[in-house]
Amino acid sequence: MVRADRDEDYVIDVCDEILGEPALRQYRFGWLRGDPGRTGRRVALPVDAYWPDPAVVLEYRELQHEEPNRHFDKPDQLTISGVHRGIQRAIYDARRDELIPAHGIRLVVITPHHLDATGRGRLRRTRSYDQPAIERLLLPDESGR
């Protein structure tokens, strides 16, 4: 799939425009790590997008992050953690949800439910709807949230 075809890249592109700078995509923090592999090594987990200033991480979570999906979950194959991919994804999402704010970085999670999307979660890419919705989520309000 070409980068421009991915909904995640569309959302990050809109965020880049709103924030006025390009994100560091698929960025890896040394303190955000997956479960140990066979050798005991823990690989750094990527985040979808990171803007160092204003210290914001964006995670675009497609429907497979909240609904079972045989294709993505691979329930018949266990990961190195001993669980199928859907469970491992939920564990890693929870790890991001906890550790990113704990390190003083604002975490913004956007899902297809926030944007103009089909029932199957595919974005229609309606800028007049999506951009204001993303701005509300991405830009802190007067209280700093």
Side-chain angles (χ1 to χ4, degrees), residues 9 29 41 64 71 84 91 103 106 126 132 143:
D9 289 309
F29 296 100
R41 182 170 171 255
Q64 71 264 18
H71 172 75
H84 72 69
I91 290 168
H103 280 84
R106 195 163 152 262
T126 309
S143 69

Side-chain angles (χ1 to χ4, degrees), residues 2-120:
V2 177
R3 187 187 120 168
D5 293 337
R6 294 178 15 165
D7 285 345
E8 175 185 311
D9 289 309
Y10 163 76
V11 171
I12 296 170
D13 288 344
V14 173
C15 292
D16 286 346
E17 290 175 22
I18 292 168
L19 293 174
E21 65 179 280
L24 301 172
R25 295 175 188 231
Q26 297 301 303
Y27 188 80
R28 295 173 188 261
F29 296 100
W31 43 261
L32 182 59
R33 298 200 170 267
D35 293 339
R38 284 184 219 66
T39 65
R41 182 170 171 255
R42 296 179 67 205
V43 174
L45 298 173
V47 296
D48 293 335
Y50 172 53
W51 293 267
D53 184 23
V56 172
V57 162
L58 170 80
E59 282 290 300
Y60 178 66
R61 294 190 181 155
E62 299 90 342
L63 292 185
Q64 71 264 18
H65 286 261
E66 57 188 58
E67 298 174 1
N69 181 305
R70 188 164 183 76
H71 172 75
F72 288 106
D73 294 348
K74 300 185 185 351
D76 301 328
Q77 298 175 8
L78 297 182
T79 66
I80 198 70
S81 304
V83 296
H84 72 69
R85 183 72 187 114
I87 293 171
Q88 187 177 52
R89 184 174 40 255
I91 290 168
Y92 287 177
D93 284 348
R95 195 169 293 168
R96 288 179 180 94
D97 293 350
E98 178 185 342
L99 292 178
I100 291 169
H103 280 84
I105 300 169
R106 195 163 152 262
L107 174 63
V108 176
V109 176
I110 297 178
T111 70
H113 303 295
H114 294 113
L115 307 174
D116 185 16
T118 68
R120 296 183 63 185

